[in-house]
Amino acid sequence: MLLELLNRYQIEMLDSSNCLTLAIYEFFSTLQRKGNESLLYEQYLLSKKTWESLIAYGIKTKEFNEVNAEAIIDIIIFSYQGVRLYSNLMLISPQIPENILYIIKNILLK
C-alpha cells in the first residue's frame, strides 16, 4: 500500500500540467474558517490523519520501523506539496522526487 501511494506521489510531483495548482494554493490560503484555520490547513490535517493511520498500521504489523510518525509525516506532506508547487514554477528533475521517496522508504520500511 505504501509503495503504491509513494509511486503515485512521484508521478504527481512532476506533473506540472495542472497550471491551476498555484491558484488553488493561493485561494485556499486566503479562505478562513473556524477562526484562523484555512481550508488548506484543514486539508493538511486530513492528510496527516490518513498518514498517521497508515504508519500506525505499518508499525503494528511490523512492516514499518518504529519511527517518529509526526516527523516523517511532515517530511512526506511538505516534501510532496513543495515539489508540486515548485514544479509549477520551474523545471523539476525526476531525480528530486526519486531522492525524496528513496529516503522515506528507507526510514519506514524494514
Side-chain angles (χ1 to χ4, degrees), residues 27-46:
F27 174 76
F28 276 123
S29 67
T30 59
L31 288 179
Q32 297 294 313
R33 288 180 40 184
K34 297 180 187 175
N36 292 329
E37 292 184 12
S38 69
L39 291 174
L40 186 59
Y41 182 69
E42 290 179 26
Q43 180 61 41
Y44 160 75
L45 292 177
L46 181 61

Side-chain angles (χ1 to χ4, degrees), residues 5-16:
L5 182 58
L6 292 178
N7 286 335
R8 190 185 79 193
Y9 269 31
Q10 184 172 355
I11 292 166
E12 290 177 2
M13 280 192 268
L14 292 172
D15 182 14
S16 62

Side-chain angles (χ1 to χ4, degrees), residues 5 8-9 12 25 39-55 69-70 72-74 76-78 80-81:
L5 182 58
R8 190 185 79 193
Y9 269 31
E12 290 177 2
Y25 282 121
L39 291 174
L40 186 59
Y41 182 69
E42 290 179 26
Q43 180 61 41
Y44 160 75
L45 292 177
L46 181 61
S47 294
K48 184 177 179 180
K49 184 176 179 180
T50 302
W51 277 107
E52 285 171 343
S53 298
L54 178 61
I55 291 171
E70 188 170 340
I72 191 66
I73 290 166
D74 285 343
I76 292 168
I77 292 173
F78 290 107
Y80 168 77
Q81 293 298 342

Side-chain angles (χ1 to χ4, degrees), residues 1-11 13 51 54-55 63-67 72-73 75-76 79 94 96-110:
M1 188 175 354
L2 173 71
L3 296 178
E4 202 172 290
L5 182 58
L6 292 178
N7 286 335
R8 190 185 79 193
Y9 269 31
Q10 184 172 355
I11 292 166
M13 280 192 268
W51 277 107
L54 178 61
I55 291 171
E63 294 177 55
F64 293 175
N65 294 310
E66 293 278 338
V67 296
I72 191 66
I73 290 166
I75 290 169
I76 292 168
S79 295
I96 292 172
E98 287 176 21
N99 289 341
I100 292 168
L101 298 179
Y102 173 80
I103 295 298
I104 292 167
K105 289 174 191 175
N106 281 327
I107 292 171
L108 285 175
L109 298 176
K110 290 190 170 195

